């Protein structure tokens, strides 16, 4: 039995049953009625069963034909899905997605799932622009922008990505040599490693239950990059105020440890900004779905 011949004949048989007519099926497929009838007759011979009862006025399925027909329908559905897949591949062959993200968040959080995305979608290219320009308005030069905010963006088309908790971190060696910290009020006795601010001191926010504190601290070292602050903390230079995603690997290794974890500090969110709602199967939609699945807060 030649399976390749059977596949063609199964398709013809399914269309004849669907349209309840040899003539209608032949017209739909651009074939002659005699060709369609001949192919189905040959299929019946190869299978050794009668699929259709034919008379001069009508056509009807036999009992075995009724049982065989669902297999043909499933085969056709699989064929259509395969064709749709190939068509999608061709459509995406030159797809290029322009993604913008904050520098450290992009390096630490976005690049790992982005690498997995590129391995999975070989025909989609991504241009990643790392910048700390943080605007609610997405540039025309990018397709997707990741921003970090305390509140939702003002523009309408966005997706929530992840929560970003901030906290204090220091090495065990630094903490062993300095006064014990069991309350935020102890922090002014220590060296803080902070982001650039308008002054050499900054008020750190603390919340626990109904308590709200703003503690003025001394910042001996300031930087506009959290990787620099993390490296300073790892060197034992002080207590760094960092987003949790920057500190988590060093905490797991035991190089640094969180301070006052019972107190909540700043909490921000990252968002995906879009020009317009995207189709799930589009390159932009696929990338956004991948980032949300990888980074969304449980």
């Amino acid at each position: 039995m030649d399976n390749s011949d059977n596949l063609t004949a199964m398709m013809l048989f399914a269309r004849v049953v669907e349209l309840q007519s040899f003539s209608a099926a032949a017209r739909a497929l651009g074939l002659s009625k005699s060709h369609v009838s001949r192919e189905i007759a040959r299929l019946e011979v190869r299978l050794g069963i009668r699929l259709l009862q034919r008379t001069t006025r009508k056509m009807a399925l036999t009992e075995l034909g009724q049982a065989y027909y669902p297999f043909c329908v499933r085969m056709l559905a699989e064929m259509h899905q395969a064709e749709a897949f190939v068509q999608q591949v061709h459509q995406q062959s030159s797809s290029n997605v322009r993604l913008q993200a904050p520098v450290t968040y992009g390096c630490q959080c976005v690049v790992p799932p982005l690498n997995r995305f590129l391995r999975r979608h070989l025909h989609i290219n991504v241009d990643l622009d790392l910048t700390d320009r943080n605007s609610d308005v997405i540039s025309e030069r990018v397709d997707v922008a990741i921003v970090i905010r305390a509140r939702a963006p003002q523009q309408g088309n966005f997706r929530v990505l992840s929560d970003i908790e901030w906290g204090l971190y220091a090495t065990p060696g630094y903490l062993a040599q300095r006064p014990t910290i069991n309350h935020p009020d102890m922090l002014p006795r220590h060296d803080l490693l902070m982001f650039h601010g308008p002054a050499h001191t900054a008020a750190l926010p603390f919340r626990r239950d109904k308590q709200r504190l703003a503690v003025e601290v001394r910042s001996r070292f300031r930087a506009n990059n959290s990787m620099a602050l993390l490296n300073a903390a790892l060197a034992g230079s002080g207590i760094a105020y960092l987003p949790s995603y920057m500190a988590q690997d060093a905490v797991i290794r035991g190089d640094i440890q969180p301070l006052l974890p019972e107190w909540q500090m700043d909490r921000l969110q990252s968002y995906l900004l879009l020009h317009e709602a995207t189709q799930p199967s589009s390159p932009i939609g696929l990338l956004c779905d991948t980032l949300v699945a990888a980074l969304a807060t449980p």
Side-chain angles (χ1 to χ4, degrees):
M1 185 182 297
D2 191 331
N3 290 329
S4 61
D5 289 340
N6 281 356
L7 290 175
T8 300
M10 288 170 71
M11 181 269 291
L12 297 176
F13 171 68
R15 293 308 301 271
V16 168
V17 175
E18 177 188 351
L19 299 174
Q20 291 292 299
S21 165
F22 281 91
S23 298
R27 285 194 299 270
L29 296 169
L31 301 171
S32 67
K33 176 182 176 182
S34 60
H35 176 79
V36 173
S37 178
R38 185 167 57 252
E39 287 298 317
I40 293 177
R42 288 172 177 172
L43 174 64
E44 290 175 320
V45 171
R46 289 193 296 270
L47 296 176
I49 60 175
R50 178 61 65 89
L51 299 172
L52 297 168
Q53 292 286 359
R54 306 169 180 82
T55 67
T56 55
R57 294 189 175 182
K58 65 177 183 179
M59 173 226 47
L61 280 169
T62 65
E63 183 176 349
L64 289 176
Q66 289 178 336
Y68 186 70
Y69 174 64
F71 294 103
C72 300
V73 172
R74 287 197 292 272
M75 183 272 295
L76 273 177
E78 291 290 336
M79 183 179 69
H80 292 321
Q81 289 178 13
E83 291 174 349
F85 166 75
V86 173
Q87 184 179 13
Q88 185 181 43
V89 167
H90 287 303
Q91 290 174 345
Q92 294 178 352
S93 60
S94 59
S95 296
N96 205 61
V97 180
R98 300 165 298 174
L99 173 65
Q100 189 177 81
V103 177
T104 53
Y105 184 79
C107 291
Q108 294 292 116
C109 301
V110 175
V111 169
L114 183 57
N115 286 329
R116 295 192 293 271
F117 174 84
L118 292 172
R119 289 194 296 269
R120 190 178 305 118
H121 301 282
L122 300 179
H123 301 283
I124 301 178
N125 305 317
V126 176
D127 290 335
L128 176 61
D129 176 28
L130 295 174
T131 176
D132 285 327
R133 295 189 302 271
N134 215 6
S135 173
D136 269 351
V137 180
I138 182 171
S139 167
E140 291 297 327
R141 296 190 299 272
V142 299
D143 301 306
V144 186
I146 297 174
V147 297
I148 296 175
R149 289 279 182 275
R151 298 178 181 84
Q154 294 181 354
Q155 82 159 56
N157 293 307
F158 67 86
R159 295 177 65 177
V160 179
L161 199 53
S162 66
D163 292 338
I164 299 175
E165 302 279 355
W166 285 68
L168 297 169
Y169 300 89
T171 61
Y174 171 87
L175 296 173
Q177 299 172 10
R178 305 299 293 267
T180 302
I181 302 173
N182 50 32
H183 191 274
D185 289 341
M186 305 289 292
L187 288 171
R189 306 180 190 180
H190 289 263
D191 297 328
L192 272 290
L193 313 173
M194 306 282 291
F195 274 86
H196 273 307
H200 289 278
T201 60
L204 291 176
F206 291 89
R207 296 182 297 280
R208 186 175 67 176
D209 300 326
K210 295 182 179 181
Q211 298 182 69
R212 298 289 187 273
L213 299 176
V215 179
E216 294 287 334
V217 297
R218 182 168 59 98
S219 176
R220 290 195 59 222
F221 176 66
R222 297 174 299 141
N224 65 349
N225 181 274
S226 56
M227 180 61 75
L229 298 175
L230 173 61
N231 287 334
L234 291 170
S237 299
I239 300 171
Y241 187 45
L242 294 170
S244 57
Y245 66 80
M246 283 300 303
Q248 61 186 1
D249 289 343
V251 170
I252 292 172
R253 294 193 304 267
D255 296 338
I256 57 175
Q257 62 189 64
L259 307 181
L260 303 171
E262 67 276 13
W263 291 84
Q264 182 180 330
M265 303 189 73
D266 283 317
R267 173 184 287 176
L268 305 178
Q269 283 81 38
S270 59
Y271 298 89
L272 293 169
L273 298 186
L274 303 160
H275 289 289
E276 58 188 16
T278 61
Q279 295 296 323
S281 60
S282 70
I284 296 174
L286 290 170
L287 177 59
C288 291
D289 289 345
T290 296
L291 293 175
V292 169
L295 302 177
T297 304

